[in-house]
Amino acid sequence: MSAATDTLALALKEQEEGLLNCVHCGFCLPACPTYRRLGDEADSPRGRLHLMRAVVEGRLSADSDAFQLHISRCLGCRACEPVCPSGVAYGQLLELARQVGGEARRPPLLNRLLLRVFGTGWIARPAMFAARMLRATGLPALAARLLSGDSTPKGARLGVAMLAASGSPGALPAAADPEHPGSDPAPGGDHPAGNGTPSDSTPPAPPTAALASPTPPTTVGLLTGCVQAGLFSRVNEATARVLEANGYEVVPVPGQGCCGALHAHAGDLEAARAMARRNVEAFEAAGVDLLAMNASGCGAAMAEYGTLLAHDDRMAERAAALAARVRDVSELLAARGPLPGAEVPMEVTWDAPCHLLHAQGVASPPTTVLAAVPGLRMLPLAGAQECCGGAGIYGLTHPRLGGWIGADKVRSVLDSGAAALVTGNPGCMMQIGAGLRLRGSSVPVLHLVEVLDESYRRAGRYQPEVP
Amino acid sequence: MSEAALAAGIAPDRVLLPESVEEVQAVVLEAGEAGTRLLPAGRGTWLGAGGWGVDPGRGDPDGEGQPGGGGEPGSDGRQGGGTDSPRIAGTERLDAVHHYEPADLTLTAGAGIGLDHLARVLEPNGQWLPFDGPACDTGTLGAAVASGVSGPLSSRYGATRDNVLGLEVVTGDGRILRIGGRVVKNVAGYDLVRLFTGSRGSLGVITRVSVRLFPRPESDVTLLFGGDAAGAVAAARRVCTHEVPVAAVEVIEGDEGGVGRAAAVAVRLLGGVDEVDESRARIVAAAGAEPSAALEGGESRAFHGRRIGWEAGAAVVARLAALPDRLAETLECARAVAALAGGATSADALQGVVRVKGSCPGGDLAALAEGLLRGRREMAAAGGTLTLSQAPAEVAARVGWTGGGGEEGGLTSRIKALFDPDSTLAPSCP
Amino acid sequence: MIPKALAVSLTGICGSDGVIADRDRLLVYESDALTAYRHRPGAVVLPRTTDEVRRAVQAITRHGLPIVPRGAGTGLSGGAVPLGGAVVIGTARMNRILSIDAANRRAVLQPGVINAELSAAAAPHGLYYAPDPSSQTACTIGGNVAENSGGPHCLKYGVTSRYVTGLTVVLADGSVVRLGGQGREAPGYDLVGLFVGSEGCFGIATEVEVGLLPVPEGVRTLLGIFDRIEDAGRAVSDIVSAGLLPAAMEIIDGPTIRAVEDSVFAAGYPTDAEAALVIEFDGLEAGLDAEAARAAEFCRRAGAREVRSAKDEEERLALWKGRKKAFGAMGRIAPDLLVQDATVPRTTLPAILKGISEIGKRYGLVVANVFHAGDGNLHPNILFDRRDEAELERVERASKEIMQICVDSGGTITGEHGVGLDKKHHMPLIYGQAELDTMWGIRRVFDPGDVLNPGKVLPEETDPAARAGWGDGAVGEDLAAAPAPAPA
């Protein structure tokens, strides 16, 4: 048995000792996007746990096709965790299982290449730059349009469309009354108690009530991330502005890097740990009260640094302490109200990122944030709790199944009748955006903060006015 | 009993009234040895409802136990041997209450206990067995189970089969079986209780029955709305699909509605006083008219008692069933039969079942038979059924009781053979 | 492993992604939700239509292999465990609701539809599907049909068989028959009723017609807290005999309360209580308050220290939470769990509960009870650690004693979980040889060749020659090879 298998065995045993063991009840089956589509028990969380246990018991080889296939086919969306009555920490076990699987059999080249791109700054930066340049030419958008009509996008086609989808969504609908673009149309009753009274001409007053702690933290460090920094810099900028507008002080965190989520999900736990150590040190050095996340995949990963580094004597405690301070940007904003903005008259629908809803259990803050935008109407999205098929690099490594799941998501977005889809994770934005483009739809995909940011801009909350 | 048999056109070889399950077993075995048919009965109410009384002299052409219930009555898979006159095993002396624990809401009694007697046993505890199928007023518990025909209350309380918990039976080959139990929830083994419920004496003689009881509702109100025939059906359908759940909805044509109109819709409300008052107000509002009459308590019960006994004495009774939203078509089909039979219709709107009864007053039986066959074809075309419960021999012979089996792939005859291999008992159904 | 020729023909029927024949990939099908039994199937097929099921059955029987139907594998009696290298026919892909006929309050669906999803689909019509097994978010209608599933609200509304009005069934010989349908007036034997609860031994239901009910307008939920479980049992009996008909009455005992409260699913039950009784009334708004008030009074008179009532849906869900999460929370008390499923006459509840607690004490075992009290359907859960062999033996003895006192009181060995593999040896406790022989006979009416789910429900016939081959572990991986010995 390899060291990795021992680790998996240890983790399974720890969960069992902690009485977090799978009782085989099957409640996770309907929550699992791959089981719902394939109908094979081995593509369900219960089935995968069964395979993991079999490897540990020595009844199954980690090198077997069965283990490799079914463990890699998991999206890692963790929709199974909230429905588990026994509280099995599936996500953690999956990462260990992937590590075991990866040691037994080398992952495919594509996976390794993609992880290398994200994990290595000197490669990532030029790669992202090249991608931005390509996107700027408009070629991907054109290509995506030309390639549209096929509901199951594959490989390269998806990649091109994703790149196109990461672009700026363009102008949002203007308010009905263009003469008073800076007015604050929010009814007083919607205004959360304790917040400063917004005014058109003065900067927002500092908040008087915040998170539950007696001395409210005001400094936050933003994880700028690799994909966000590379392709979604506008989202990072908007994040900083809306946080500042709500009274947080966003301080720079030099030395930070990729969160390691993709590596952990893929089972490259050593690489993930190295990235985690680097980030723990960087954020500690910045001395921030809280860590702000605008990519829920990263947020979920950083919130679990304590577990990831649990066996690192030097870092375990520090990692756990840092992890406890990780917040999704929607949580930070909801804790402050957030301040209302000006009207953005638009019908939107919200798709909950798996790593926000299932992995971090953040359900209501995003809706609270969107409620602060007057004129915005929320339409229900069928299957909003289900994965979009993006799942990190899943859409690229499993184009067929990921495309199937993605196509279902795209269909429900179109069926919702919304003029835009709002979500909270760049991976989801690219996956769904690509799917929409390939279906020939022009429905834009927005990050939550982009909507609020636009609302604030219209309300004149930014002084001086942001162009 | 002999009179009931004769009335049903059966000239019994002898009538036996065993007093214990062992005696029943002996009677069954004896009949088997003698090669004589043995018809299980309670008080004889249903003897005309199996077809075995018809044309007793006829031989058996098919040997598969197929008709009787199914194709041609009288040809029931029984070959020669002994007399063609059947014996009758009446269970009326098996009428003891073996176990009754009011707080359990369950009861076990001999199959021969009269349902009228049973009601008196339950009354002091404010409980009842809500069997309101045909003849459930004077018939026996065993016969109600064997016939398996449910009444209009079945959507509220479940059909007969939903309320039988356990049975003791003597099979056609003389085995005593105790199946099911006396607890309200039981999935141990295959559900033979349901197989025997509605098996019409073709698999075994039911000797003991355990049933689930219900608290008698505090309030019992029947609202009668009068109108023309089409209006009554529409009103009945509105009540059936209304948000307020009701216990039963019947459409009664002719004088029996008692409201002096062409048709009456009888809506029965059961429950707590507040609940029934509220339901009543909302149903009346939905109907858009005050009811012609509102029967309360004993009056309501008496009204429905008459519905239960409605078929008594009729020369021909047919049952037409289709999905409830086809009530108008089913009723139309039933009216055509009723016209030929010189009788009336009574519809259970919630179940989509319409009963027809007639006295055939010197009528043209050939025309009636043709009318029934036509009705059956029409019902079949609409996905429904027409079954005979009672008919003059000549009509039954021509029409058949059910119109034959479905696509059960020989299951029915194999089941019959398992319990009654020599076809000692009533013919299999269908 | 199945012969290559069979794998090829199955692939021709269900497609290459619809056939699993790789030995390793089959590992996950060795158990259902009762993991004490493990037997790997020869193959798994995942058909999508009645015709695919029919052709698969024909192909498998041609090769002389047995067949085990499987829904979501949430059963608790080992009913879906494939013995003798059987081929599993899984219904996971047969998950379409074919029609919802609101005018007639019925629906036609494929067997792989999840119970709760049927109700969700019926909700826009103001209708729902009444039987609500605790696993309703995961279990399939086909599985419910096979097991005749119950659930908390069956107290008022009855179990699965009351709602199934028609079936399309593939028999062991590959023939397709329609039973009942278009409502419930079909003449002839009640073959639908006979089929429901046949635990996969009579055929594979490929289409199911069910009745739906209008969603009740109002609901009232109460929670009674008791210091003695017998008192809670008495309250149940009193409420029933007073003529009240609650939709559900559920008891959660002290050990279960403490397990739930220790978990992340804490429901706010007092941890020093010995029983919590959840009572629910539903129906028209009018009169519900009065009924709830009467039930609350019965609880107080029986000795409840406190009776809570839910003011809104959120509070209602909170009161139910302890009940709904109980099964999973058991996993937090001990690593292993033996679930029983006996039904007893309601009036014997207090005595039986006392008896169970005494048996538990005598064997030094924790027995946690969480059950459908209104129906008298007990679920004593014996908690243990299978690594302790001495304890395991005590568990088996205690289990048998508990079953015996339930049967002696006039009860039965299973109220809703089914007999399956786990309880077939208990069948002689309630049935004599004549009844068991008759059940064998009925089984052979449907399946003369013993093809479907062999080794389940009925103990082997007395003549061993007639039953050779399908004993526990006769073929395939036996329990002995598994880390957990069977608690049967």
Side-chain angles (χ1 to χ4, degrees), chain A residues 15-397:
Chain A
Q15 294 215 0
E16 191 167 326
E17 294 298 327
L19 300 174
L20 299 173
N21 55 329
C22 173
V23 294
H24 236 249
C25 67
F27 283 21
C28 52
L29 268 58
C32 177
T34 55
Y35 177 77
R36 288 202 76 106
R37 283 167 184 80
L38 302 170
D40 183 356
E41 172 81 20
D43 287 313
S44 77
R46 177 175 68 177
R48 294 187 182 107
L49 287 167
H50 202 88
L51 294 175
M52 292 178 206
R53 221 175 257 265
V55 165
V56 169
E57 289 166 0
R59 298 199 294 149
L60 179 69
S61 159
D63 182 36
S64 63
D65 289 347
F67 191 73
Q68 293 283 333
L69 172 71
H70 296 297
I71 295 298
S72 88
R73 247 192 212 162
C74 177
L75 291 154
C77 73
R78 296 166 68 176
C80 46
E81 289 188 24
V83 297
C84 176
S86 299
V88 172
Y90 177 83
Q92 185 203 344
L93 293 172
L94 176 71
E95 289 174 1
L96 292 166
R98 288 203 166 145
Q99 185 184 21
V100 171
E103 285 183 11
R105 196 192 287 185
R106 217 161 171 231
L109 182 65
L110 175 64
N111 299 39
R112 282 180 284 131
L113 274 178
L114 285 169
L115 290 179
R116 178 61 72 86
V117 168
F118 292 119
T120 318
W122 65 265
I123 303 177
R125 277 185 294 274
M128 291 296 170
F129 177 76
R132 274 199 306 277
M133 289 297 104
L134 179 59
R135 187 176 73 189
T137 65
L139 286 174
L142 179 64
R145 257 199 307 282
L146 291 175
L147 294 166
S148 68
D150 188 337
S151 59
T152 48
K154 301 216 173 90
R157 209 166 53 204
L158 177 68
V160 170
M162 285 173 77
L163 184 55
S166 69
S168 172
L172 301 184
D177 182 0
E179 286 181 37
H180 300 92
S183 70
D184 177 6
D190 281 356
H191 199 84
N195 280 322
T197 309
S199 128
D200 293 343
S201 50
T202 56
T208 54
L211 298 174
S213 56
T215 49
T218 52
T219 60
V220 295
L222 175 65
L223 178 81
T224 50
C226 34
V227 179
Q228 299 103 298
L231 296 173
F232 289 93
S233 55
R234 64 176 194 282
V235 173
N236 277 352
E237 287 153 15
T239 304
R241 284 195 294 272
V242 296
L243 286 174
E244 296 264 355
N246 280 283
Y248 293 101
E249 187 193 344
V250 181
V251 300
V253 183
Q256 62 165 298
C258 174
C259 67
L262 294 179
H263 304 79
H265 299 334
D268 190 354
L269 293 176
E270 271 324 305
R273 286 192 188 102
M275 294 175 205
R277 286 189 196 97
R278 173 181 160 167
N279 280 330
V280 169
E281 280 171 354
F283 280 89
E284 275 179 349
V288 291
D289 295 314
L290 294 173
L291 282 68
M293 303 289 141
N294 60 13
S296 46
C298 308
M302 291 191 72
E304 284 163 12
Y305 273 181
T307 316
L308 185 66
L309 295 175
H311 299 288
D312 181 329
D313 294 342
R314 191 175 63 87
M315 296 292 279
E317 266 181 46
R318 290 162 62 192
L322 188 86
R325 290 188 280 142
V326 170
R327 298 286 184 279
D328 187 71
V329 63
S330 64
E331 291 180 282
L332 293 171
L333 291 168
R336 298 286 169 103
L339 296 182
E343 196 175 348
V344 181
M346 191 173 190
E347 292 190 324
V348 301
T349 188
W350 165 255
D351 185 59
C354 297
H355 283 88
L356 191 58
L357 182 65
H358 305 309
Q360 299 183 70
V362 176
S364 64
T367 22
T368 309
V369 170
L370 292 173
V373 179
L376 202 68
R377 238 187 96 220
M378 285 281 280
L379 299 176
L381 178 69
Q385 76 295 336
E386 201 187 45
C387 182
C388 62
I393 56 172
Y394 192 90
L396 298 172
T397 56

Side-chain angles (χ1 to χ4, degrees), chain B:
Chain B
M1 179 67 76
S2 297
E3 286 155 34
L6 288 169
I10 303 169
D13 168 51
R14 65 185 86 152
V15 174
L16 303 150
L17 301 175
E19 295 187 12
S20 67
V21 63
E22 290 78 16
E23 285 186 21
V24 173
Q25 184 180 37
V27 162
V28 170
L29 289 172
E30 242 171 67
E33 279 157 26
T36 309
R37 175 173 301 289
L38 183 79
L39 300 180
R43 290 171 173 172
T45 316
W46 284 84
L47 277 175
W52 39 79
V54 185
D55 194 9
R58 226 172 104 176
D60 173 36
D62 59 34
E64 273 297 348
Q66 164 66 276
E72 297 142 74
S75 57
D76 47 36
R78 220 183 137 60
Q79 296 279 3
T83 167
D84 285 312
S85 299
R87 294 177 189 179
I88 292 174
T91 59
E92 62 191 67
R93 292 188 182 166
L94 299 168
D95 62 350
V97 173
H98 297 283
H99 190 274
Y100 175 34
E101 182 60 66
D104 281 339
L105 284 171
T106 59
L107 171 137
T108 303
I113 191 169
L115 288 166
D116 43 359
H117 177 196
L118 182 59
R120 286 194 296 277
V121 171
L122 303 177
E123 185 81 55
N125 295 298
Q127 297 181 349
W128 70 328
L129 178 66
F131 282 4
D132 65 338
C136 282
D137 48 354
T138 56
T140 62
L141 177 60
V145 173
S147 82
V149 183
S150 304
L153 285 176
S154 53
S155 64
R156 165 68 60 96
Y157 290 101
T160 305
R161 59 180 154 256
D162 297 314
N163 293 308
V164 181
L165 305 173
L167 294 173
E168 177 188 74
V169 300
V170 177
T171 60
D173 56 357
R175 285 171 287 149
I176 297 173
L177 301 178
R178 295 184 180 90
I179 52 186
R182 60 181 177 89
V183 287
V184 295
K185 226 165 141 195
N186 186 0
V187 295
Y190 307 127
D191 201 342
L192 301 179
V193 173
R194 274 174 187 262
L195 180 62
F196 272 83
T197 305
S199 63
R200 298 163 67 114
S202 66
L203 302 179
V205 184
I206 297 173
T207 53
R208 195 181 279 209
V209 182
S210 293
V211 284
R212 174 183 189 146
L213 305 171
F214 290 84
R216 186 124 217 164
E218 216 179 351
S219 181
D220 184 337
V221 172
T222 298
L223 307 175
L224 292 168
F225 298 90
D228 60 30
V233 170
R237 281 297 299 155
R238 273 203 305 281
V239 175
C240 289
T241 53
H242 194 257
E243 58 187 11
V244 172
V246 296
V249 184
E250 290 174 88
V251 179
I252 303 155
E253 295 188 315
D255 299 339
E256 290 177 70
V259 291
R261 301 290 301 272
V265 180
V267 180
R268 191 176 193 183
L269 308 171
L270 297 174
V273 174
D274 295 346
E275 183 189 352
V276 167
D277 286 351
E278 165 84 8
S279 305
R280 178 175 175 167
R282 284 161 67 176
I283 291 292
V284 168
E290 281 298 315
S292 311
L295 312 174
E296 303 189 6
E299 274 188 7
S300 176
R301 281 206 289 278
F303 178 88
H304 293 287
R306 289 195 295 278
R307 308 312 306 157
I308 292 172
W310 187 72
E311 295 174 12
V316 61
V317 177
R319 215 174 150 83
L320 291 77
L323 288 174
D325 69 343
R326 309 199 65 110
L327 183 65
E329 293 92 326
T330 307
L331 200 49
E332 200 181 309
C333 195
R335 270 189 224 114
V337 174
L340 292 167
T345 66
S346 177
D348 171 353
L350 280 171
Q351 318 291 325
V353 174
V354 183
R355 294 184 287 160
V356 180
K357 71 167 179 182
S359 52
C360 307
D364 182 349
L365 292 186
L368 174 61
E370 284 316 307
L372 284 164
L373 285 171
R374 194 166 48 244
R376 179 172 287 158
R377 282 193 301 272
E378 285 172 22
M379 291 304 295
T385 54
L386 183 154
T387 51
L388 283 181
S389 310
Q390 196 88 247
E394 194 183 331
V395 174
R398 174 84 183 90
V399 178
W401 298 93
T402 67
E407 308 163 35
E408 283 94 18
L411 294 173
T412 295
S413 54
R414 296 214 292 273
I415 288 171
K416 170 72 174 169
L418 176 68
F419 291 95
D420 185 22
D422 300 323
S423 280
T424 303
L425 304 178
S428 81
C429 55

Side-chain angles (χ1 to χ4, degrees), chain C residues 135-161:
Chain C
S135 58
Q136 74 177 132
T137 55
C139 64
T140 64
I141 293 290
N144 293 175
V145 167
E147 302 296 316
N148 193 9
S149 303
H153 291 83
C154 291
L155 171 60
K156 179 172 175 184
Y157 293 105
V159 295
T160 301
S161 61

